[in-house]
Amino acid sequence: MDKLRPVIAIVLCLVIWGVYFKFFAPDTPKSQPKKPTPTEIGKGPGGTNGNGTIVEKPPVDPAQPPPAAFTHPVVAVDNTVLENEVLRVEITNAGASVRRLILKAYKDPFERDEHGNRKDLAFLDEFQAGFRSLSLRDSAGVLPLDTVNWETLEAPAGEVKYRYTTPDGLRIVKTIGLGPEKHAVKLKLEVENISETPLARGLELIGAAGIVQEASGGIYPSDAAGLWRDGKTYSVDTHSSGSGCCGPSAPLKDLTAKMRETDLAGVSWNAAVNKYFVCAIIPRPEDRASVAKFRSWAIEFKAEAKRKLEHEKISRSDPKAKELLDWTVNTVAISAVLKDRTWQKGEKSSTEWVIFAGPKETDALNEGRFKDWRLGDLLDFGWFGIISKLLLTIMGWMHFVFRNWGLAVIALVLIVRMCIFPISKKAQVSMFRMQKLQPQLKVIQERYKGDPSRVNAETMKFMKEQGVNPIGGCLPLFLQLPIFLGLYNALLSDIHLRQQPFFGWINDLSQPDHLANLPFSVPMHATNAFNLLPLVMMATWFIQAFMAPRSPDPQMAAQQKMFMIMPLVIGWMMYMSPSGLVLYWLVSTAWGIAEQQYIKRTYLK
């Protein structure tokens, strides 16, 4: 029996082992499961699967909670409109961004409705499909923040709120609203780490995904930035050359080849501007430290060139078409790149932004906080800006009286010329008297022709005896120069003249008058437009120069001959200038001719 015990034990062990694996042991898989794959992005920008839905399969990380905890839900497109008396903002949850921003007080130079009326100006638009203003980008280019449909959350009246959760547990909330300034769009960006580990991320906020271009030839968008120096001095860089807060600036065509990035030391905001409008992205003062740099670059906008060709009735085979296509396929985009940072477990951050979208007009640029941020400096009238602003104020009063900006321009010219009449009269009386003394001055020149110094001395003595100041005709002209330059700069960029008619064929004082089309291209201007006002202005200006009193001084006489050529040269340079500006020169010149004859007959009897 003792010999059988080992055998019985072995048999019992085999029975127990068989019963256990038969009834109690778990099933053994036939094959090992596949390892998780890396993030899969569907076809199309930002990982869309063809219908706008993002397809993501994040990798499994043993150190992280299950991926399903941070899966962003698939949601449908949801569009919202926010509106006040001046803005209409069309917002979409696709990228939690602005599809279109319309300035309700201004009209598009090209687009018309079915009744032939101009449409409201779409200042910000989706000029490139999928590229929208106020969208957020992942600096690493991994997350589709600017294309995925964000969740729409409950928000107070007048605001919209969206949320996106990244696969690794970074929750981003964007709140978009209006005000309190009329042309202000406000944005609040909140980021929270809901994972168990620190998360690092770099973000870029698109301010404007391009701004609409103006119709006037030769005026293209450029970029600008605000700069604080020592907390007092402020400058704005908007010119095509020179230096400013961002170093040498560049015209639009140069931005095409290279993105321009600012040196952020002291820069408070960045803006895209054209002749009459501006879009500025402004971080809240306490949030400026979160910005690493601002960016400005050109993006293609081929639809704009097509609109211009259709508007000016130019066929694609016309030589001018190629030039328009070369110069007008771009618009300016701006953004703010946030500093890379790491959010610890449970950490939250919040930044706030204001986007100004509106006219380069004094009241709008100086409303509320915009005045403190010095956006008004974008309205630059040059060295004689104080004079320009004063004259624009007077012109505004004249428009209130006449209800026509063309008549307001004429009234302004008459007021200015009447105010400077005493100076002008003194100059012309002096010149006419010198012309009458020319025979006696020639006698002096012949008598002392071998001694130039004696000629000058005797000439000065004689004119003093006659009560004539030899520089009396020049000095008053230099005193008038600041007034004329101030008025010139004011009329060149004043938005009040935009799309304002005068009479007849002059239906837009901010554009050349364009009476008809020529069968050939105008030399030096690459246009077939026949503009009548500049030609009339050149003729009257030449007549005025021809009728001016002649100086007996040979050098002055030579200069006067040169001045007779200037009306032709400068007038031709102004051939494509806004008709409101040309109207000013034309009326001023006509006044000058009448003034010459009046002074000659009244004060020189």
Side-chain angles (χ1 to χ4, degrees):
M1 184 67 178
D2 292 336
K3 292 182 180 179
L4 294 176
R5 284 179 181 175
V7 177
I8 295 172
I10 292 173
V11 171
L12 288 174
C13 288
L14 292 173
V15 172
I16 294 171
W17 182 69
V19 172
Y20 173 80
F21 281 98
K22 177 67 176 177
F23 297 101
F24 300 101
D27 295 335
T28 302
K30 295 182 180 180
S31 60
Q32 296 295 324
K34 292 176 63 178
K35 294 182 179 180
T37 59
T39 302
E40 296 178 7
I41 304 296
K43 184 178 180 181
T48 61
N49 62 3
N51 60 3
T53 303
I54 302 300
V55 181
E56 293 187 353
K57 296 182 180 179
V60 175
D61 186 346
Q64 297 283 347
F70 303 125
T71 300
H72 181 72
V74 177
V75 295
V77 174
D78 180 23
N79 298 324
T80 306
V81 174
L82 299 180
E83 193 167 4
N84 61 20
E85 62 266 40
V86 297
L87 297 180
R88 174 183 170 88
V89 187
E90 301 174 9
I91 306 171
T92 176
N93 68 329
S97 55
V98 172
R99 283 190 61 249
R100 183 179 292 109
L101 184 146
I102 294 173
L103 299 177
K104 297 161 63 174
Y106 301 94
K107 300 300 180 181
D108 191 285
F110 306 111
E111 299 292 339
R112 296 179 181 270
D113 59 22
E114 63 274 12
H115 304 293
N117 300 318
R118 295 181 187 269
K119 292 184 178 180
D120 291 344
L121 180 67
F123 179 51
L124 301 180
D125 208 338
E126 194 172 337
F127 298 120
Q128 285 188 342
F131 184 46
R132 292 177 290 269
S133 302
L134 296 195
S135 59
L136 198 63
R137 283 181 169 181
D138 174 21
S139 297
V142 176
L143 299 175
L145 301 177
D146 55 341
T147 55
V148 67
N149 294 341
W150 293 42
E151 297 178 83
T152 303
L153 307 179
E154 291 292 330
E159 295 182 351
V160 288
K161 182 179 289 188
Y162 301 108
R163 180 175 65 195
Y164 176 78
T165 305
T166 67
D168 54 2
L170 204 62
R171 178 171 289 166
I172 307 174
V173 176
K174 293 172 68 175
T175 305
I176 303 174
L178 297 179
E181 296 82 7
K182 292 180 181 179
H183 289 91
V185 178
K186 58 185 180 181
L187 169 68
K188 185 176 183 181
L189 182 63
E190 301 170 277
V191 182
E192 179 184 4
N193 182 0
I194 61 174
S195 75
E196 297 296 320
T197 60
L199 295 175
R201 187 78 71 225
L203 301 173
E204 180 178 9
L205 178 64
I206 304 299
I211 61 176
V212 72
Q213 293 188 10
E214 275 298 299
S216 53
I219 302 298
Y220 304 103
S222 59
D223 62 317
L227 172 65
W228 294 98
R229 292 178 179 169
D230 302 326
K232 297 179 180 179
T233 305
Y234 188 87
S235 65
V236 177
D237 178 16
T238 56
H239 303 291
S240 59
S241 62
S243 62
C245 59
C246 313
S249 60
L252 176 62
K253 63 176 182 177
D254 293 337
L255 286 176
T256 307
K258 185 178 181 181
M259 178 182 292
R260 172 174 159 179
E261 298 182 351
T262 68
D263 174 7
L264 196 65
V267 177
S268 55
W269 44 262
N270 193 22
V273 302
N274 61 28
K275 185 177 183 180
Y276 295 122
F277 300 99
V278 56
C279 178
I281 176 173
I282 311 163
R284 188 175 54 173
E286 52 265 40
D287 292 328
R288 287 176 189 159
S290 66
V291 182
K293 57 189 172 183
F294 289 115
R295 285 178 173 169
S296 305
W297 71 97
I299 62 172
E300 287 192 353
F301 181 23
K302 295 181 179 178
E304 181 74 357
K306 183 179 178 181
R307 293 203 308 170
K308 286 192 174 184
L309 293 179
E310 293 175 351
H311 178 262
E312 299 189 19
K313 297 180 174 59
I314 301 174
S315 67
R316 293 296 182 96
S317 59
D318 192 303
K320 186 186 176 186
K322 183 180 185 304
E323 180 176 354
L324 276 174
L325 290 172
D326 288 343
W327 278 87
T328 60
V329 296
N330 295 311
T331 182
V332 169
I334 57 172
S335 70
V337 179
L338 306 186
K339 293 179 179 177
D340 294 349
R341 63 164 296 174
T342 299
W343 287 265
Q344 301 299 322
K345 173 186 174 182
E347 184 181 0
K348 299 180 181 179
S349 67
S350 175
T351 56
E352 295 185 21
W353 305 75
V354 176
I355 290 80
F356 174 89
K360 291 167 67 176
E361 190 267 333
T362 301
D363 291 341
L365 292 172
N366 290 316
E367 182 185 7
R369 295 167 295 174
F370 298 140
K371 183 176 182 179
D372 297 332
W373 296 335
R374 300 292 294 272
L375 258 69
D377 285 26
L378 281 168
L379 196 60
D380 183 14
F381 294 114
W383 289 355
F384 306 108
I386 296 178
I387 297 176
S388 298
K389 293 175 182 178
L390 174 61
L391 295 175
L392 285 177
T393 300
I394 297 174
M395 189 171 70
W397 295 340
M398 294 301 98
H399 176 261
F400 179 79
V401 174
F402 296 107
R403 300 298 178 181
N404 182 291
W405 282 107
L407 294 177
V409 169
I410 294 174
L412 178 63
V413 173
L414 299 181
I415 292 174
V416 170
R417 293 302 301 245
M418 284 189 290
C419 290
I420 64 176
F421 176 75
I423 300 176
S424 179
K425 183 194 73 172
K426 185 176 180 180
Q428 293 190 57
V429 167
S430 179
M431 293 176 67
F432 277 119
R433 284 178 176 173
M434 286 184 66
Q435 186 179 24
K436 282 188 173 184
L437 298 176
Q438 188 170 0
Q440 294 93 320
L441 292 173
K442 283 185 177 181
V443 172
I444 294 175
Q445 292 170 4
E446 288 295 329
R447 182 180 302 170
Y448 305 104
K449 62 180 179 181
D451 190 352
S453 60
R454 183 71 182 273
V455 170
N456 290 334
E458 292 296 330
T459 299
M460 295 297 295
K461 179 182 178 182
F462 175 74
M463 287 193 293
K464 186 176 182 180
E465 292 173 352
Q466 298 296 321
V468 176
N469 186 348
I471 64 172
C474 299
L475 185 58
L477 295 178
F478 283 108
L479 295 177
Q480 296 177 45
L481 188 61
I483 298 175
F484 290 135
L485 290 179
L487 189 54
Y488 175 90
N489 290 331
L491 294 178
L492 185 65
S493 56
D494 183 32
I495 193 172
H496 294 103
L497 300 185
R498 183 182 184 269
Q499 296 181 356
Q500 293 298 319
F502 178 32
F503 79 94
W505 78 98
I506 306 175
N507 52 25
D508 188 347
L509 288 167
S510 70
Q511 301 292 324
D513 59 289
H514 198 166
L515 178 61
N517 287 330
L518 298 170
F520 55 86
S521 183
V522 177
M524 296 177 57
H525 291 287
T527 179
N528 61 349
F530 175 68
N531 303 326
L532 179 60
L533 281 184
L535 301 180
V536 178
M537 180 198 70
M538 280 191 287
T540 54
W541 200 354
F542 181 82
I543 293 172
Q544 182 187 30
F546 182 80
M547 296 175 62
R550 298 290 181 266
S551 172
D553 188 309
Q555 292 183 349
M556 290 293 295
Q559 291 179 5
Q560 286 181 325
K561 291 180 180 179
M562 183 185 67
F563 289 154
M564 292 182 63
I565 302 175
M566 285 182 60
L568 303 178
V569 176
I570 298 178
W572 192 250
M573 291 173 60
M574 293 179 61
Y575 184 76
M576 291 298 293
S577 295
S579 54
L581 180 60
V582 179
L583 179 64
Y584 151 68
W585 282 111
L586 174 59
V587 175
S588 181
T589 305
W591 172 280
I593 295 174
E595 186 180 78
Q596 281 181 350
Q597 299 305 306
Y598 174 75
I599 292 173
K600 189 175 181 179
R601 294 174 182 176
T602 305
Y603 296 96
L604 298 173
K605 293 181 179 180

